[in-house]
Amino acid sequence: MHPNAVDLGTTTGNTEGSVRMTPLDSFRRRVYVAMLGLDVTVDGGRIASVTMTTTSVLEVALVHSNSMVPKFTRLRLDQRARAPRSFSCVDVKTNTTLQVVRGACQAPSTVLLLTITWT
């Protein structure tokens, strides 16, 4: 595993060529992947884990609280180190591409696992 794979507020696990990150901030809404200069944040839910399988694919597992679940969850990617790249989000369960609204993937609250791919 690369020594700078993650930074600030995350723990890591390395299994079969992938890196798994778990947010440790108080609201579980942010993971920063230092190797990519990528900040992953979520509105309307919490991040259970982020798994990086390659340098262009992330799997994000979401958790929703039992009370006051919003209609949509927005997942935002901000890349600090480089110019922004285009990305797409896919619901793993139904294999459908999700809409990107104002620079964030917008997913129904029923979605619990997303695959994000960028070019």
Side-chain angles (χ1 to χ4, degrees), residues 31-94:
V31 171
Y32 181 68
V33 185
M35 187 168 75
L36 301 175
L38 189 67
D39 197 13
V40 180
T41 56
V42 66
D43 297 331
R46 292 178 291 155
I47 299 173
S49 66
V50 174
T51 304
M52 183 174 65
T53 55
T54 68
T55 56
S56 62
V57 176
L58 290 177
E59 289 182 356
V60 180
L62 301 173
V63 176
H64 300 288
S65 64
N66 292 335
S67 63
M68 302 196 55
V69 177
K71 187 174 180 180
F72 292 102
T73 299
R74 287 200 176 131
L75 184 88
R76 190 171 311 281
L77 302 175
D78 294 316
Q79 195 163 22
R80 300 174 185 180
R82 300 182 186 122
R85 301 191 234 171
S86 62
F87 61 91
S88 64
C89 300
V90 175
D91 177 1
V92 172
K93 186 175 181 180
T94 62

Side-chain angles (χ1 to χ4, degrees), residues 9-28:
T10 58
T11 58
T12 64
N14 188 354
T15 57
E16 301 176 16
S18 64
V19 178
R20 183 171 183 221
M21 297 153 267
T22 306
L24 296 177
D25 66 310
S26 59
F27 293 107
R28 309 283 194 261

Side-chain angles (χ1 to χ4, degrees), residues 64 71 91 93 107-113:
H64 300 288
K71 187 174 180 180
D91 177 1
K93 186 175 181 180
S109 295
T110 56
V111 174
L112 296 178
L113 186 61

